[in-house]
Amino acid sequence: MIKFGTAGVPLSAADSSTEAGIRRIRELGLDAMEVEFVHGVRMKEEKARLNGRTAREENVSLSCHAPYYVNLNSKEEEKIIASKQRLIQTARTADFLGAHSIIFHPAFYSGDDPLKVFAQVLDGVAEIRRILDDEGCRVILRAETTGKPSQFGSLEETIALAAEVEGVLPCIDFSHLHARSNGLYNSYDEFCAILDKTAEKLGDQWTKNAHFHVSGIDYGLKGEKKHLILQEADLNYADLLKALKTFGIQGTVICESPNMEKDTLLLQETYRLLG
């Protein structure tokens, strides 16, 4: 019911290419990989289509992470325009790859009222969705829950955004929610509450096609500091996986730990042992 994969090319791949990453995912017995465009989309259409063919041959599900340089609430209009173009470019490339979703960090509050920022982000995402729909690009846009209180991306905001715009769903990063709240969202009941709230608002379109990020995480009063190996952090991943199993959630878990494939395999094995 859940596919497990790495955030980027596994460290043990033959080389750092997307193709080598896909093939290594299959060798490891995993099912998914997130193609990381976090510093820019530099994959040409022909290469993306070739990588997509490899993914289909290896039965590996792909998603893409958009560049970090996105802020739909920038004070500078040109940066908003550039942010929209980065998201559109990511979605187009994801479509060539056969990837089902792109994941992105929408905005920073920058001292503005969160309701004002939500309206700004909503307008930007709705415009991007219209452009992609007109092109026939059905790649899902997934706003990610973010790890710092200074960033747009609470659970409630990402759910509300998805409820407003068809073709938009959340990427729930449990590690980010844990860090953003300075240690909350780390028990079975709290994980269940997250899933219940999201399912109640978004229904089967989400429960049958969810996307999550998980890793160990270091955090403080200002939220996320850095990703950690699961066993060196306090994230209660076993109860998290138990909650996913209890709710019958279908979708993908992408692991962002520094040791990447080792923690992804740990998550997969833990999930399977739940029966």
Side-chain angles (χ1 to χ4, degrees):
M1 297 178 72
I2 295 285
K3 297 178 180 179
F4 290 86
T6 59
V9 175
L11 301 173
S12 59
D15 57 56
S16 61
S17 68
T18 299
E19 181 181 1
I22 293 167
R23 296 195 187 282
R24 183 57 180 152
I25 287 288
R26 178 47 54 218
E27 290 169 357
L28 289 164
L30 298 169
D31 297 307
M33 190 177 87
E34 198 151 282
V35 181
E36 301 293 285
F37 292 134
V38 294
H39 298 298
V41 182
R42 300 186 178 92
M43 188 181 293
K44 302 297 184 183
E45 178 179 347
E46 182 180 2
K47 188 65 173 177
R49 292 190 184 278
L50 287 172
N51 286 327
R53 185 183 308 161
T54 300
R56 289 190 297 274
E57 290 170 354
E58 299 291 351
N59 195 25
V60 171
S61 176
L62 298 179
S63 54
C64 298
H65 199 301
Y68 289 141
Y69 318 114
V70 168
N71 183 6
L72 295 173
N73 187 50
S74 175
K75 305 296 185 187
E76 301 170 58
E77 183 63 26
E78 61 269 25
K79 290 186 178 179
I80 294 177
I81 293 170
S83 294
K84 292 174 182 176
Q85 286 303 313
R86 289 185 180 107
L87 292 175
I88 291 168
Q89 185 183 14
T90 304
R92 288 169 176 161
T93 304
D95 199 30
F96 299 146
L97 279 163
H100 56 80
S101 303
I102 69 164
I103 289 78
F104 66 103
H105 303 167
F108 291 87
Y109 295 121
S110 302
D112 292 334
D113 183 283
L115 291 177
K116 175 181 178 293
V117 178
F118 180 84
Q120 178 79 5
V121 171
L122 177 61
D123 284 349
V125 170
E127 179 186 346
I128 293 164
R129 186 71 267 172
R130 285 193 298 271
I131 291 168
L132 294 173
D133 287 345
D134 287 345
E135 295 177 358
C137 179
R138 304 303 182 198
V139 172
I140 296 170
L141 306 178
R142 294 188 187 261
E144 183 176 346
T145 56
T146 50
K148 296 181 180 180
S150 60
Q151 296 171 291
F152 177 96
S154 68
L155 178 67
E156 293 74 15
E157 286 168 334
T158 57
I159 292 173
L161 193 64
E164 289 283 347
V165 185
E166 187 175 353
V168 175
L169 289 173
C171 168
I172 297 180
D173 188 316
F174 288 102
S175 308
H176 281 170
L177 291 178
H178 182 48
R180 184 185 182 99
S181 64
N182 193 27
L184 299 178
Y185 301 111
N186 201 34
S187 68
Y188 176 75
D189 287 345
E190 288 172 308
F191 295 135
C192 286
I194 289 169
L195 300 176
D196 188 54
K197 180 180 290 187
T198 312
E200 181 182 0
K201 294 292 186 181
L202 302 179
D204 284 353
Q205 65 166 332
W206 176 76
T207 59
K208 294 183 177 180
N209 185 20
H211 195 88
F212 305 106
H213 283 176
V214 178
S215 74
I217 198 159
D218 184 20
Y219 58 89
L221 292 176
K222 295 183 179 180
E224 175 189 12
K225 292 182 178 179
K226 62 180 179 179
H227 290 163
L228 298 174
I229 294 169
L230 283 170
Q231 293 181 324
E232 295 178 359
D234 68 351
L235 186 74
N236 186 3
Y237 64 88
D239 275 356
L240 164 57
L241 296 171
K242 180 182 175 183
L244 295 180
K245 179 78 78 167
T246 300
F247 273 74
I249 300 294
Q250 300 174 37
T252 304
V253 169
I254 294 295
C255 181
E256 296 185 309
S257 293
N259 64 349
M260 209 178 302
E261 58 263 53
K262 290 184 179 179
D263 270 3
T264 309
L265 288 165
L266 172 62
L267 291 169
Q268 180 178 258
E269 180 64 17
T270 304
Y271 181 79
R272 288 178 175 174
L273 288 173
L274 292 170

